[in-house]
Amino acid sequence: MKRILLSITLAMGVAVPFAHANDKLIELSKSDENWVLPGRTYSETNYSPMKQINVDNVKTLKPAWSFSTGVLNGHEGTPLVVNNVMYIHTPFPNTTYAVDLKEPGKILWKHVPKQSAAARSVACCDVVNRGLGYWPGDGKTPPLILKTLLDGHVVALNAETGEEYWKVENSDYKVGSTLTIAPYVVKDIVLIGSSGAELGVRGYVTAYDVKTGEQKWRAYATGPDEDIILADNFNEKNPHYGQKGLGTETWEGDAWKIGGGTNWGWYAYDPDTNMVYFGTGNPAPWNETMRPGDNKWTMAIWGRDVDTGQAKFAYQKTPHDEWDYAGVNVMMLSEQKDKNGKMRKLLTHPDRNGIIYTLDRETGEMVSADKIDDTVNWVKKVDLETGLPLRDPEFGTRMDHKGRDICPSAMGYHNQGHDSYDPEKQRFYMGVNHICMDWEPFMLPYRAGQFFVGATLSMYPGPKGDRQNFTGLGQVKSYDAITGKFDWEVMERFAVWGGTMATAGNLVFYGTLDGYIKARDTRNGNLVWKYRLPSGVIGHPMTYMHDGVQYVAIFYGVGGWPGVGLVFDLDDPTAGLGSVGAFKNIQHYTAMGGGVMVFSLDGKGVYDDPNLGEYAAMNTSAKPAGKAEDKSAKQ
C-alpha cells in the first residue's frame, strides 16, 4: 500500500519527504562542507568538485591546524566531517574523538571502548582500523557514529554526546576473527565485513539494523548456497562465471569451513540498482596444495541487494589463488561510454593480483581487465569472454618448489589504498605497490586462533625499482578504463599504501610511507607541492569547506602491513609475512606517531584570530594579591 501511495503522489507531482535516512546521507555527501563516507559519496570515487585549492595556488598550502591521537600504530582510512564536526578514529584501542571545527583544539567528546587486548595477538598486519560510519538519525533515533573494535564488536555512538547507543559482537577473536573495516551505512543498515583469513576464518558480511543493532542478514563467501545467499537469477547474465553449488563443490571435503574469503576493505553502493559492491579476500591457507579446486567464492567481486543480501552476481578474479592476492580492494563507480560508444554504469576495481577490472555493475559483465603494470607476470592476460586468467606456470607455486621473482608479491600491486576517479577527465588515479617476491610453501595443521598460512615469503622491489637499495617500491598512475592506457606514471621510494584523492583543481593528493603528503597535476603527473609530516602515511586524504575556506586533511601514523617491522621492531626479512625485508629502509625515513594534519591556502583558518580559545578570567571584585593600598595618594 505504501508503494502504491508513493507512486500516486509522484504522479501528481507532490513533493515526497525523505523515505530513508540514507537519502539524508546522500544530500550531506553532496555538500562541500561534509565528508560522510570513506570516499566522500556512495560512488566511492574520492573526488571533490572543489577548486579553491588548485594547481596554480597549491604551492601556498600550509598547515592550518593539527591533532594528535596519542596512538602509535598505523592510521589507515580518513576522518569524517559532518556539520562542522570532525570525527577521528584510531587503531587499537579504537578511540574516537569528536572535534569542533569552529575551534579545532576543542574535543567535544572522546570514546575509549572496553575491549580485550588479547585481540592484538591475532591481528594479521598491525592493529589498524579503516574508519567510521555515520547515520544521520530519523527524529526518533539520534544521529549515530558507527565503529568497529579489533576484538570483534560493533558499537553505535550518539554522534552528539559520544555515549554508547548499542553494541553487538560480530566476530570471535578467539578463533582469529577480528574487525578492522570501516562500517558502511546504507539506508537504515550498517554493513560490517570481517578479517582473519590468515587464521583460517570463514569470511562473511553482516547487515545490522543501524537503529537497534539487530542482525538483518549475513552472507558467507564459502559454503552452501543458502549461506552465501544466492539470488534465483544469480549470474544469469554471465553463467560462465559459475552459478549454484560451487561454494562447496570447488573445495575438498569441508575445507570451505576454514577457507578464508574475509572482506575487510571498501564498499560502494548504487541507489539505482540497490546493490552494494565489495570484494572477498584470499582463501586459507596460503599453501595452494592444501586446498584443491577453484575455492569459490573467495577472491570475488560481488553485487548484492542491500535489503536482502541476495547476490545478483559474483566474478572470481583469481580462481584457486596461489599468491594471497586478496581481492578486497576499492570499488569505484562511474558512468562512461564503452569502446562501442554505449553509456554504461561501471564498476572499476584495481585488484591485488595486478589487474584492474571494470565490470558493468548492473549485470557483472566484464568490460576490461588491464595490467596495473607491464611487469605483472603470474598472468599473461585475462580472457574477456570467459573471465579466466591465462596463467604463466613459471610463476605458479607448489610444494617442494621455491617460486622466484613472482610479480606482484602477496602485498599486490594494489592493496587497501582508497583511490580516486575524476568524472570530468574520466581518469582513475591510483597509488600502487611495485613489489615482487619469492614464495616457498610448507604444510601445517589448522588450529583455531593460530596463523594458518603455510608459506615463507621474501619480498623486494619490482623490476622498475632499485633492488640493491630496496627502494622504488611504489608508483602513482593515471588510468583510462575504456582505452586501458596510462596517461602518466611516477615512481615513489616506498609503496603508496593509503591511496589518492582527486579534485576539480587539477590535483591528486596522496601520502607516502616516508612521511610526505604530496600533490601532483592530474594532467601530467608533475609534482606541484609536498609537505613533511611527523610520520609516514597509510591513510587517504580528504577535503572539506569550513566558513568559506577549503581544507585538505590526512592521517599520519606509519604502520599497517608495510610498517610491521618498524612497529614491532622485527628484523627477520621473512617476518611480517615477508614485509620486513621489503620495507627494511623505512626506519631511516620516519618514526611512529599518529594524528591528523589539516592544510589550507597560506594556512588560513579559525586561528587567524589569536584570541580564539583563549582563557577568559572570571570577573572578581577581590583585590589582586600582593598589591597594597596606596595611602600617599590620599594625603
Side-chain angles (χ1 to χ4, degrees):
M1 178 61 71
K2 289 182 179 178
R3 185 172 296 177
I4 295 172
L5 289 174
L6 180 60
S7 300
I8 295 173
T9 305
L10 290 171
M12 295 174 63
V14 178
V16 179
F18 288 128
H20 295 286
N22 85 291
D23 293 323
K24 299 178 185 177
L25 205 59
I26 290 172
E27 291 305 309
L28 285 169
S29 72
K30 292 177 180 178
S31 167
D32 292 339
E33 282 73 25
N34 300 305
W35 191 284
V36 295
L37 290 157
R40 185 173 175 269
T41 67
Y42 278 129
S43 293
E44 296 302 326
T45 54
N46 239 39
Y47 171 80
S48 171
M50 287 193 286
K51 47 190 174 184
Q52 183 181 103
I53 300 170
N54 57 63
V55 72
D56 296 320
N57 62 22
V58 68
K59 60 181 176 291
T60 69
L61 213 58
K62 291 180 173 61
W65 59 276
S66 63
F67 182 88
S68 172
T69 65
V71 180
L72 293 180
N73 292 73
H75 286 55
E76 290 186 353
T78 199
L80 299 183
V81 168
V82 191
N83 298 330
N84 297 314
V85 177
M86 179 179 284
Y87 297 97
I88 297 169
H89 67 279
T90 79
F92 185 93
N94 304 123
T95 304
T96 305
Y97 295 93
V99 175
D100 187 351
L101 292 181
K102 297 176 182 177
E103 186 183 336
K106 186 176 181 180
I107 299 171
L108 298 175
W109 55 258
K110 173 184 177 181
H111 178 261
V112 183
K114 294 180 180 179
Q115 63 172 317
S116 174
R120 294 172 59 96
S121 65
V122 294
C124 160
C125 313
D126 199 4
V127 293
V128 298
N129 186 277
R130 294 183 180 86
L132 305 167
Y134 176 77
W135 183 74
D138 62 2
K140 296 181 179 178
T141 304
L144 299 174
I145 289 291
L146 290 306
K147 63 189 288 184
T148 56
L149 307 186
L150 190 68
D151 76 350
H153 286 87
V154 184
V155 182
L157 306 176
N158 184 316
E160 296 172 353
T161 67
E163 296 174 315
E164 288 192 8
Y165 196 76
W166 56 257
K167 181 178 182 179
V168 298
E169 184 178 28
N170 181 84
S171 309
D172 182 1
Y173 76 88
K174 294 183 181 66
V175 298
S177 186
T178 53
L179 286 183
T180 60
I181 193 169
Y184 202 69
V185 177
V186 178
K187 300 183 180 180
D188 293 337
I189 286 174
V190 56
L191 298 169
I192 304 292
S194 56
S195 300
E198 278 64 45
L199 292 94
V201 170
R202 180 187 177 205
Y204 52 83
V205 56
T206 310
Y208 295 99
D209 185 317
V210 75
K211 292 182 280 189
T212 65
E214 176 190 1
Q215 184 174 310
K216 308 294 284 186
W217 53 263
R218 171 171 286 177
Y220 288 85
T222 67
D225 291 351
E226 58 268 26
D227 288 4
I228 305 175
I229 316 184
L230 301 183
D232 292 339
N233 62 347
F234 175 68
N235 274 344
E236 182 179 62
K237 301 291 185 181
N238 299 282
H240 53 285
Y241 290 171
Q243 294 183 283
K244 302 299 179 71
L246 301 178
T248 54
E249 293 174 11
T250 60
W251 294 82
E252 186 175 66
D254 289 342
W256 55 267
K257 293 181 179 179
I258 53 172
T262 53
N263 60 100
W264 42 265
W266 308 107
Y267 294 75
Y269 170 67
D270 183 348
D272 294 334
T273 64
N274 200 41
M275 280 194 280
V276 62
Y277 306 93
F278 65 96
T280 46
N282 57 286
W286 287 12
N287 184 344
E288 59 86 28
T289 305
M290 298 176 64
R291 44 172 174 78
D294 277 354
N295 310 134
K296 294 185 185 297
W297 288 94
T298 64
M299 315 300 280
I301 296 174
W302 294 86
R304 289 189 181 275
D305 182 281
V306 77
D307 295 323
T308 65
Q310 289 189 342
K312 300 301 181 70
F313 70 80
Y315 162 65
Q316 189 179 38
K317 299 157 291 183
T318 316
H320 186 66
D321 168 62
E322 303 175 45
W323 308 273
D324 183 41
Y325 290 153
V328 302
N329 313 55
V330 64
M331 306 281 170
M332 295 173 283
L333 309 186
S334 66
E335 296 189 23
Q336 300 185 63
K337 291 182 179 180
D338 64 16
K339 293 179 180 179
N340 299 318
K342 179 182 177 182
M343 184 63 73
R344 303 178 74 169
K345 295 169 75 70
L346 302 178
L347 175 158
T348 297
H349 166 81
D351 195 73
R352 213 153 113 180
N353 68 10
I355 304 295
I356 314 169
Y357 298 90
T358 295
L359 307 182
D360 183 310
R361 68 176 182 267
E362 294 181 305
T363 66
E365 179 186 354
M366 186 172 291
V367 174
S368 63
D370 301 311
K371 291 186 177 184
I372 292 177
D373 193 75
D374 56 11
T375 57
V376 172
N377 62 19
W378 74 273
V379 60
K380 296 177 180 178
K381 68 173 185 178
V382 176
D383 186 318
L384 295 184
E385 294 298 321
T386 65
L388 294 175
L390 179 60
R391 305 180 190 225
D392 187 333
E394 180 181 349
F395 302 104
T397 68
R398 59 188 182 275
M399 282 298 299
D400 303 318
H401 167 75
K402 185 174 184 177
R404 298 182 184 276
D405 209 15
I406 301 168
C407 302
S409 76
M411 284 184 153
Y413 271 179
H414 195 281
N415 201 283
Q416 67 85 36
H418 200 307
D419 285 322
S420 56
Y421 170 74
D422 184 331
E424 300 300 321
K425 296 181 178 65
Q426 297 188 338
R427 295 293 187 274
F428 293 88
Y429 302 100
M430 298 182 299
V432 175
N433 307 327
H434 189 66
I435 310 170
C436 301
M437 68 177 173
D438 298 341
W439 175 292
E440 189 169 13
F442 59 86
M443 305 292 283
L444 79 168
Y446 169 76
R447 293 186 177 91
Q450 296 186 21
F451 276 82
F452 188 49
V453 175
T456 300
L457 278 63
S458 298
M459 298 188 194
Y460 39 81
K464 297 178 181 178
D466 182 346
R467 290 188 171 181
Q468 183 175 354
N469 296 303
F470 280 79
T471 54
L473 292 153
Q475 297 175 312
V476 180
K477 300 192 176 203
S478 170
Y479 169 71
D480 185 324
I482 305 305
T483 66
K485 295 180 179 179
F486 295 93
D487 298 305
W488 53 263
E489 63 179 51
V490 296
M491 296 295 296
E492 285 286 350
R493 180 176 286 112
F494 298 118
V496 184
W497 197 257
T500 67
M501 176 188 70
T503 76
N506 292 322
L507 293 169
V508 56
F509 290 90
Y510 61 96
T512 67
L513 283 165
D514 51 353
Y516 291 94
I517 177 174
K518 297 183 178 181
R520 292 187 181 272
D521 188 325
T522 52
R523 299 166 298 184
N524 51 39
N526 289 343
L527 183 64
V528 291
W529 174 80
K530 70 178 181 181
Y531 182 85
R532 179 72 175 176
L533 296 165
S535 182
V537 176
I538 59 173
H540 57 280
M542 55 86 72
T543 185
Y544 65 93
M545 187 79 75
H546 179 74
D547 283 347
V549 177
Q550 182 184 355
Y551 296 88
V552 171
I554 193 168
F555 274 127
Y556 59 84
V558 72
W561 194 0
V564 294
L566 178 64
V567 170
F568 298 111
D569 194 24
L570 304 173
D571 54 18
D572 178 353
T574 65
L577 303 174
S579 72
V580 172
F583 292 94
K584 63 182 182 180
N585 284 329
I586 277 187
Q587 61 182 325
H588 300 303
Y589 291 91
T590 191
M592 290 188 293
V596 181
M597 188 72 75
V598 184
F599 301 86
S600 63
L601 296 176
D602 296 316
K604 181 178 176 60
V606 295
Y607 288 113
D608 289 347
D609 176 2
N611 293 313
L612 179 67
E614 284 297 295
Y615 174 69
M618 296 176 61
N619 291 326
T620 176
S621 58
K623 297 176 182 177
K627 193 170 183 178
E629 182 177 343
D630 187 356
K631 297 182 178 179
S632 63
K634 297 180 180 179
Q635 295 175 350

